[in-house]
């Protein structure tokens, strides 16, 4: 029996937050109604709908992926080997394969912890949101997120060598989102920033993995996430119409700070020390390699267009547009994201729900 005590295994976040009843049970017949109907029909089961008998050999799959794509194992981090006095210059191909497997473990682990964050936030939204349609829809998201936690936990436990702790920046952002008393900021942080980032990261992993089980699992999860993002956009568009200029500016700042935190997350600080390389050593080098930068930028390809749909980019002389320009991610403002294309059959375009 594991010696860890219960207290070591939990973390508490204290929040002061209104729980809102509504006595208005009328449905508005709009986008949220349709999204709710869709969500009820699109439920799936981790145990029944995925083939867990598939044997997963992570190292073999990484080698296969490298062979088929022509991209060497450990990319984009591997480009660090070419830098002067690089601490990873002497790494063999086997070492890079091992690194790539663990890099995938850190990604999957953060998906897992992030999904738990989404589960808690979704539950909070059900309590806080003042419309019955949004409470109904939010309840389906709670079930979706529980299923996602279950799926990633099972995959890591049964198919991968290890699970890593949550990334500090991701934890900071989830905590900030959970304690904010403005429920629309909870929406903005989780449904637009964190889920938008997750969709891009899921899409990237789905496009690269050679494991049919993981591919299928991500396809299912992404179909759910596309609805969640649509839920965020639909609800926020409604709220932002009534906010003052100053309040909107606060939302711009929140979106920027959340994106900035997430940009620093993708440096993978939980991984390098396990391979004998200090984070300070790696940080300067990593942010200066082009391939790493390109990959990082791609993670924001879903968030930027959604901020635009919400009117956050250009409010107050384009304050957020300027910040995104500095971050070199403004080029995504009109992107139909890769994630939506990948899940075309089940994707939800918020516009299709919002305009009726
Ligand atoms: Fe999720
Ligand atoms: Fe979600």
């Amino acid at each position: 029996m594991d010696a860890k005590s219960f207290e070591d295994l939990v973390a508490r976040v204290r929040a002061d937050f209104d729980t809102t009843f509504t006595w208005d049970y009328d449905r508005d017949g709009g986008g949220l109604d349709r999204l709710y109907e869709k969500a009820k029909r699109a439920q799936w089961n981790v145990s029944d709908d995925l083939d867990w008998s598939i044997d997963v050999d992570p190292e073999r799959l990484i080698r296969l992926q490298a062979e088929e794509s022509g991209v060497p194992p450990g990319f984009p981090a591997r480009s660090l080997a070419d830098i002067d006095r690089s601490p990873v210059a002497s790494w063999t191909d086997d070492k890079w394969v091992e690194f790539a497997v663990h890099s995938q473990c850190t990604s999957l682990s953060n998906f897992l912890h992030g999904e738990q964050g989404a589960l808690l936030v979704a539950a909070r939204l059900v309590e806080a949101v003042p419309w019955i349609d949004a409470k109904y829809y939010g309840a389906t998201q709670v079930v979706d997120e529980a299923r996602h936690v279950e799926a990633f936990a099972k995959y890591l436990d049964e198919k991968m060598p290890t699970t890593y702790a949550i990334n500090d920046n991701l934890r900071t952002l989830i905590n900030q989102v959970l304690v904010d008393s403005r429920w629309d900021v909870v929406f903005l942080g989780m449904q637009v920033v964190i889920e938008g980032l997750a969709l891009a990261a899921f899409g990237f992993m789905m496009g690269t993995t050679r494991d049919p089980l993981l591919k299928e699992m991500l396809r299912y999860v992404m179909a759910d996430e596309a609805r969640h993002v649509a839920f965020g956009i639909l609800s926020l568009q409604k709220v932002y119409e009534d906010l003052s200029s100053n309040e909107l500016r606060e939302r711009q700042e929140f979106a920027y700070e959340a994106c900035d935190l997430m940009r620093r997350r993708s440096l993978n600080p939980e991984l390098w020390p396990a391979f004998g390389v200090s984070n300070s050593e790696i940080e300067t080098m990593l942010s200066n390699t082009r391939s790493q930068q390109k990959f990082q930028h791609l993670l924001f390809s879903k968030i930027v267009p959604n901020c635009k749909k919400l009117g956050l980019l250009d409010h107050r002389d384009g304050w957020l547009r300027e910040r995104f320009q500095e971050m070199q991610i403004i080029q995504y403002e009109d992107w139909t994201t890769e994630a939506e294309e990948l899940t075309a059959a089940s994707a939800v375009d918020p516009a299709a729900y919002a305009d009726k």
Side-chain angles (χ1 to χ4, degrees):
M1 186 64 193
D2 198 273
K4 271 188 175 170
S5 78
F6 178 75
E7 282 301 318
D8 290 335
L9 293 172
V10 297
R12 295 186 176 83
V13 179
R14 182 160 295 277
D16 183 13
F17 206 83
D18 285 343
T19 296
T20 310
F21 272 98
T22 173
W23 309 122
D24 178 4
Y25 296 98
D26 285 348
R27 314 281 295 274
D28 78 354
L32 272 183
D33 262 8
R34 284 191 290 281
L35 206 55
Y36 176 53
E37 289 304 318
K38 191 173 177 96
K40 286 187 289 181
R41 289 193 199 104
Q43 294 296 310
W44 53 282
N45 188 339
V46 172
S47 342
D48 295 339
D49 293 320
L50 294 171
D51 181 2
W52 293 96
S53 71
I54 292 173
D55 184 44
V56 179
D57 176 346
E59 292 202 358
R60 189 186 64 79
L61 289 165
I62 292 286
R63 288 183 202 280
L64 182 66
Q65 180 186 319
E67 257 173 52
E68 288 180 2
S69 66
V71 178
F75 190 83
R78 194 169 182 158
S79 52
L80 295 174
D82 303 332
I83 292 175
D84 251 7
R85 283 174 302 193
S86 167
V88 297
S90 62
W91 283 16
T92 61
D93 201 58
D94 283 352
K95 182 90 171 173
W96 281 111
V97 169
E98 191 193 345
F99 179 86
V101 169
H102 280 261
S103 175
Q104 198 186 6
C105 286
T106 59
S107 298
L108 287 165
S109 301
N110 281 309
F111 293 169
L112 167 71
H113 305 308
E115 291 291 358
Q116 189 190 166
L119 171 64
L120 302 182
V121 171
R124 173 140 296 170
L125 286 173
V126 173
E127 291 183 83
V129 75
W131 307 300
I132 199 69
D133 296 300
K135 286 186 190 292
Y136 289 164
Y137 180 78
T140 69
Q141 188 177 335
V142 174
V143 184
D144 292 347
E145 305 298 10
R147 185 170 52 234
H148 301 169
V149 179
E150 179 195 357
F152 285 112
K154 188 172 166 72
Y155 188 85
L156 275 160
D157 182 46
E158 294 182 8
K159 310 295 184 187
M160 296 301 282
T162 189
T163 301
Y164 283 84
I166 187 169
N167 174 275
D168 280 345
N169 292 335
L170 179 59
R171 184 175 176 161
T172 302
L173 180 57
I174 292 174
N175 284 0
Q176 276 176 11
V177 165
L178 274 170
V179 300
D180 206 297
S181 60
R182 302 162 296 181
W183 66 261
D184 74 282
V185 172
V186 177
F187 256 106
L188 180 61
M190 180 49 78
Q191 313 286 105
V192 177
V193 177
I194 300 178
E195 306 234 74
L197 193 83
L199 261 178
F202 292 165
F204 184 78
M205 191 178 280
M206 189 169 109
T208 50
T209 182
R210 295 307 191 259
D211 172 16
L213 168 61
L214 182 57
K215 229 185 233 305
E216 186 67 354
M217 185 171 113
L218 289 166
R219 195 182 66 78
Y220 271 113
V221 172
M222 285 172 72
D224 293 344
E225 299 300 356
R227 283 197 309 274
H228 303 170
V229 175
F231 176 41
I233 302 294
L234 278 175
S235 307
L236 287 178
Q237 278 171 337
K238 201 164 165 178
V239 176
Y240 284 1
E241 283 165 16
D242 299 326
L243 287 188
S244 72
S245 178
N246 282 345
E247 285 170 330
L248 266 181
R249 174 56 181 269
E250 283 168 21
R251 274 63 179 176
Q252 286 182 306
E253 284 170 6
F254 180 89
Y256 166 67
E257 279 157 22
C259 286
D260 192 46
L261 259 179
M262 291 301 91
R263 179 172 57 155
R264 284 181 268 141
R265 182 199 77 96
S266 45
L267 293 174
N268 252 342
E270 58 277 36
L271 179 60
W272 289 102
F275 280 76
V277 181
S278 78
N279 281 322
S280 53
E281 238 176 330
I282 220 72
E283 200 161 327
T284 344
M285 289 202 298
L286 207 52
S287 51
N288 286 332
T289 61
R290 271 186 70 81
S291 43
Q292 180 68 24
Q293 277 182 356
K294 224 177 140 186
F295 175 67
Q296 268 192 39
H297 293 164
L298 206 58
L299 289 174
F300 293 89
S301 56
K302 179 91 186 174
I303 300 173
V304 181
N306 283 335
C307 283
K308 184 173 189 176
K309 279 179 201 152
L310 291 171
L312 288 177
L313 278 191
D314 292 311
H315 179 67
R316 288 256 184 113
D317 303 324
W319 183 85
L320 189 59
R321 172 179 295 280
E322 272 176 35
R323 301 289 84 70
F324 283 171
Q325 262 157 2
E326 288 160 8
M327 288 172 79
Q328 299 174 40
I329 54 174
I330 195 66
Q331 66 273 24
Y332 298 119
E333 65 174 306
D334 294 314
W335 263 42
T336 314
T337 65
E338 196 187 348
E340 272 169 2
E341 283 159 26
L342 286 167
T343 56
S346 44
V348 172
D349 176 6
Y353 288 87
D355 60 4
K356 293 188 189 111

